[in-house]
């Protein structure tokens, strides 16, 4: 079984990057974690500036998780920006809830964002999923049973101009923590955000 391959107290941790990011966006968070979360996966997802539909990116995420940790190994999952919606889609639509212990959303437009509204949805299918009232978000919010089965925590900035308004960057359930930073990139760069994120990821 996959769980036998990882005899550790905390499950592996999967980090999902944002739209214009690469796995390097998590470098400061990784430094804060040190060796205390050694089983770590940060897949590079081809989001193509928002052309890739979120559901397709979620399928790719699931493939990376399965290839790395097998079929059964429980995981913790953190998604940043659009990565949080991708991770949530994998949890709710692709049975990811069956192996997710803890889900952390960081600056993710879980309730949609006005900054996505001007982009043509027929072309930028990934960004279209982030619009207020998008079909994807309505589908995710219509049935929260799978989210209720795992521990959820949203971290956000109230003045995050990438998610507008900032208070929409929260999951419909679970704990919510406002981070004292002024911009979207600072959510993974400023120590005022890194410290509480690392603390949450190191919690037993």
């Amino acid at each position: 079984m996959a769980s036998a391959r990882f005899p550790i107290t905390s499950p592996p941790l999967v980090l999902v990057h944002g739209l214009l990011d690469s796995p390097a966006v998590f470098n400061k968070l990784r430094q804060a974690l040190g060796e205390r979360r050694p089983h770590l996966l940060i897949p590079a997802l081809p989001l193509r500036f928002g052309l890739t539909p979120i559901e397709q990116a979620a399928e790719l995420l699931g493939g990376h998780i399965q290839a790395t940790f097998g079929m059964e190994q429980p995981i913790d999952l953190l998604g940043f920006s659009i990565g949080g919606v991708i991770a949530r889609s994998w949890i709710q639509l692709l049975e990811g809830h069956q192996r997710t212990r803890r889900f952390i959303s960081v600056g993710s437009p879980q309730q949609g964002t006005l900054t996505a509204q001007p982009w043509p949805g027929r072309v930028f299918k990934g960004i279209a999923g982030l619009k207020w009232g998008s079909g994807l978000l309505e589908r995710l919010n219509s049935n929260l049973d799978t989210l209720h089965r795992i521990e959820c925590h949203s971290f956000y900035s109230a003045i995050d101009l990438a998610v507008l308004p900032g208070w929409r960057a929260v999951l419909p359930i679970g704990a919510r923590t406002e981070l004292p930073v002024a911009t979207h990139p600072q959510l993974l760069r400023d120590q005022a955000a890194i410290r509480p994120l690392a603390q949450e990821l190191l919690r037993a």
Side-chain angles (χ1 to χ4, degrees):
M1 293 175 58
S3 57
R5 297 161 53 194
F6 296 92
I8 54 178
T9 55
S10 294
L13 173 62
V14 180
L15 306 178
V16 188
H17 63 76
L19 184 62
L20 303 179
D21 300 316
S22 72
V25 75
F26 294 111
N27 283 351
K28 287 193 174 182
L29 182 58
R30 291 183 66 183
Q31 292 173 3
L33 295 175
E35 298 299 321
R36 292 170 288 180
R37 293 299 297 261
H39 301 287
L40 185 63
L41 171 64
I42 314 178
L45 299 177
L47 303 183
R48 299 184 303 155
F49 303 101
L51 296 174
T52 303
I54 289 175
E55 298 93 324
Q56 181 179 334
E59 291 178 359
L60 294 172
L61 171 63
H64 282 286
I65 293 172
Q66 181 175 328
T68 305
F69 301 122
M71 296 286 291
E72 300 178 13
Q73 169 65 45
I75 64 167
D76 287 345
L77 185 58
L78 180 149
F80 170 62
S81 195
I82 193 176
V85 182
I86 293 169
R88 181 184 174 189
S89 297
W90 176 74
I91 288 171
Q92 290 188 250
L93 304 180
L94 298 173
E95 300 186 346
H97 68 281
Q98 296 181 358
R99 60 185 303 175
T100 303
R101 180 187 71 152
R102 185 174 297 159
F103 174 41
I104 300 167
S105 171
V106 182
S108 299
Q110 303 289 359
Q111 306 300 327
T113 172
L114 287 175
T115 56
Q117 300 304 120
W119 295 87
R122 291 184 180 180
V123 178
F124 295 94
K125 297 183 183 299
I127 295 177
L130 307 179
K131 294 175 182 283
W132 281 27
S134 74
L136 173 64
L137 292 179
E138 287 188 353
R139 185 179 177 192
L140 293 174
N141 287 327
S142 66
N143 187 343
L144 302 177
D145 289 347
T146 51
L147 278 188
H148 280 292
R149 300 179 191 180
I150 63 180
E151 186 178 346
C152 297
H153 197 151
S154 300
F155 290 84
Y156 70 101
S157 167
I159 52 176
D160 176 356
L161 296 181
V163 181
L164 189 65
W167 56 265
R168 294 183 71 92
V170 295
L171 293 161
I173 66 168
R176 300 175 179 180
T177 298
E178 182 180 344
L179 296 173
V181 298
T183 69
H184 196 65
Q186 284 180 303
L187 289 166
L188 288 178
R189 294 179 184 173
D190 195 301
Q191 286 301 313
I194 293 295
R195 283 192 295 268
L197 287 175
Q199 183 178 9
E200 174 67 10
L201 290 172
L202 294 173
R203 184 168 58 85

